[in-house]
Amino acid sequence: MSRLLTEPLRVEVGREGGLPRRVLLPGGDSPLLVVGIHSRWRVEADWWRTPLSREYWKLGLRRDPGGQPSLVCDVFHDLLGGGWHLTRVYD
């Protein structure tokens, strides 16, 4: 089961080697560590009107580096406007 957010939430993502490694959620005091990258895909649309280019990541996150993810979510990087956003949370 998952919950799609009505409006994407802006998040901060730390990358290493081009891959997301840390995600700071809104109101968070410390970033969550990426302990699993479950999938990655790109969406490009509406090039004839207002272009859209996003790279989506399904990530497993934890406060500490060991063990299974405590949160699985989808985030995207807006390749045209910059910035990262949280769009979906899985339970």
Side-chain angles (χ1 to χ4, degrees):
M1 192 105 188
S2 69
R3 182 172 62 97
L4 181 65
L5 292 119
T6 306
E7 289 291 322
L9 293 175
R10 188 144 175 107
V11 295
E12 292 181 37
V13 174
R15 294 175 80 160
E16 293 174 13
L19 301 175
R21 297 296 182 198
R22 292 170 301 286
V23 177
L24 181 61
L25 300 175
D29 55 351
S30 63
L32 299 171
L33 301 173
V34 175
V35 294
I37 297 175
H38 302 290
S39 60
R40 174 183 179 184
W41 66 99
R42 184 175 255 180
V43 173
E44 297 197 25
D46 295 334
W47 54 267
W48 61 94
R49 287 186 269 169
T50 305
L52 171 84
S53 183
R54 295 176 176 173
E55 185 172 40
Y56 283 83
W57 300 78
K58 184 175 183 179
L59 303 174
L61 306 174
R62 274 186 74 82
R63 290 219 179 274
D64 56 67
Q68 297 296 315
S70 56
L71 174 67
V72 177
C73 63
D74 289 346
V75 298
F76 73 82
H77 183 217
D78 184 342
L79 299 172
L80 298 176
W84 288 82
H85 299 83
L86 174 72
T87 60
R88 182 180 301 268
V89 176
Y90 297 86
D91 23 5

